[in-house]
Amino acid sequence: MSERRVNARHDRERADWILAAVERHELDLLRYVASITGRAETAREVVQDTFLRLCQQSPGDLDGRLAEWLFTVARNRALDVKRKERRMSTLTAEQTAGCLDNREAPQSSAETADDLQRVERLVAGLSDNQQEVLRLKFQSGLSYKQIAAVTGLSVSNVGYLLHTAVRSIRDSLMPDDA
């Protein structure tokens, strides 16, 4: 095979790898970054920058660690932006979904909306670390090990934070007579 064909094939494979990464992780990254910055437009910019940085990486260097790398880069960039702006206003899950997902979130009843708002208030009352690990686990589907890699926490600390956060929310949602 000629060198030109090898380079063209390599370029196609690399482009396919990047496109697959965007398709698989973009929405989760947008939601996660929006939860840090509080602004959907800022989240889009941070995630775009994250994928631009991915273009400079070799697939072999990130083999098996792509999600951790993407979330770590996005988190660090989002925290940089947040520090520069010196403000953070958390979007509700409903607002984030409306900004980042072109589909409308179905609200089956007023009761469901009330329950969602109650859970959002309970999550907002958790520590920043607990909120972050909850988002990474339940919105982005990362494992404890991946969350630890993204946040710099130990796996056991991630487990503890998730356990105490879920327990706190569950206890608050349980009726007093249960």
Side-chain angles (χ1 to χ4, degrees), residues 137-155:
K137 179 66 180 161
F138 297 109
Q139 283 182 342
S140 303
L142 297 183
S143 70
Y144 284 27
K145 184 177 178 183
Q146 290 172 318
I147 295 168
V150 170
T151 61
L153 300 169
S154 69
V155 174

Side-chain angles (χ1 to χ4, degrees), residues 6-164:
V6 169
N7 287 339
R9 191 179 87 216
H10 174 74
D11 290 345
R12 276 193 310 273
E13 289 172 355
R14 187 172 174 72
D16 290 345
W17 174 70
I18 292 167
L19 289 172
V22 170
E23 186 176 306
R24 167 65 182 93
H25 298 287
E26 182 180 32
L27 186 57
D28 288 337
L29 285 168
L30 285 168
R31 286 183 178 138
Y32 175 60
V33 172
S35 74
I36 294 172
T37 65
R39 297 179 42 210
E41 186 58 36
T42 302
R44 286 186 195 97
E45 292 170 10
V46 168
V47 171
Q48 180 179 5
D49 184 52
T50 301
F51 284 116
L52 286 173
R53 291 176 187 204
L54 178 64
C55 293
Q56 299 168 356
Q57 298 297 310
S58 167
D61 292 343
L62 300 178
D63 191 34
R65 300 181 309 109
L66 178 60
E68 293 99 321
W69 186 90
L70 287 169
F71 277 90
T72 300
V73 170
R75 177 182 189 260
N76 291 340
R77 182 71 181 110
L79 291 174
D80 287 345
V81 168
K82 182 179 161 186
R83 273 187 228 108
K84 286 180 184 175
E85 293 179 353
R86 292 283 182 220
R87 66 186 178 94
M88 177 176 171
S89 61
T90 305
L91 290 177
T92 65
E94 185 176 55
Q95 289 169 321
T96 303
C99 292
L100 301 177
D101 193 355
N102 292 332
R103 301 169 297 190
E104 293 274 330
Q107 296 295 330
S108 60
S109 68
E111 185 177 299
T112 301
D114 289 343
D115 290 345
L116 178 60
Q117 289 176 350
R118 186 169 178 211
V119 170
E120 288 171 351
R121 282 192 304 272
L122 292 170
V123 170
L126 298 172
S127 73
D128 290 343
N129 277 351
Q130 287 175 318
Q131 289 181 45
E132 183 175 23
V133 297
L134 278 173
R135 287 184 192 107
L136 288 169
K137 179 66 180 161
F138 297 109
Q139 283 182 342
S140 303
L142 297 183
S143 70
Y144 284 27
K145 184 177 178 183
Q146 290 172 318
I147 295 168
V150 170
T151 61
L153 300 169
S154 69
V155 174
S156 60
N157 196 347
V158 168
Y160 174 77
L161 288 169
L162 282 168
H163 173 75
T164 57

